[in-house]
């Protein structure tokens, strides 16, 4: 979007913010692939542990019909506040 910072400018700041944490994401492999694609141009490497709620749901609730974020949230009586469909 015009006038907004680029990923090359924002990624180092996000890495500094999250460097000593566990990253948590739904379908984390998808998101991590985008970060990996930027390793070369930015020199930023996310090598901390990653918890994937999609995979966790599949292991913990193997008989659940769907492992979509909304379905997982409903199953545990939670309401996700942000969803970037």
């Amino acid at each position: 979007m015009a006038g907004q910072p680029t990923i090359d400018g924002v990624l180092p700041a996000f890495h500094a913010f999250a460097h000593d944490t566990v990253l948590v994401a739904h379908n984390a492999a998808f998101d991590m692939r985008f970060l990996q694609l930027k390793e070369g141009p930015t020199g930023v490497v996310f090598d901390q542990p990653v918890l994937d709620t999609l995979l966790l749901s599949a292991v913990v609730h193997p008989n659940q019909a769907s492992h979509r974020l909304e379905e997982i949230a409903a199953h545990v009586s939670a309401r996700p506040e942000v969803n970037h469909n």
Side-chain angles (χ1 to χ4, degrees), residues 31-49:
D31 298 311
M32 294 307 295
R33 182 65 184 137
F34 283 100
L35 296 176
Q36 289 169 346
L37 289 171
K38 287 297 182 177
E39 286 180 3
T42 64
V44 174
V45 177
F46 288 84
D47 57 2
Q48 64 263 59

Side-chain angles (χ1 to χ4, degrees), residues 22-33:
V22 175
L23 297 177
V24 179
H26 190 73
N27 195 12
F30 179 83
D31 298 311
M32 294 307 295
R33 182 65 184 137

Side-chain angles (χ1 to χ4, degrees), residues 25-28 52-59 67-68 72:
H26 190 73
N27 195 12
D52 188 336
T53 57
L54 176 66
L55 296 177
L56 183 62
S57 176
V59 170
H67 298 285
R68 291 179 57 241
I72 295 168

Side-chain angles (χ1 to χ4, degrees), residues 55-70:
L55 296 177
L56 183 62
S57 176
V59 170
V60 174
H61 302 289
N63 296 322
Q64 188 168 317
S66 170
H67 298 285
R68 291 179 57 241
L69 184 58
E70 296 79 10

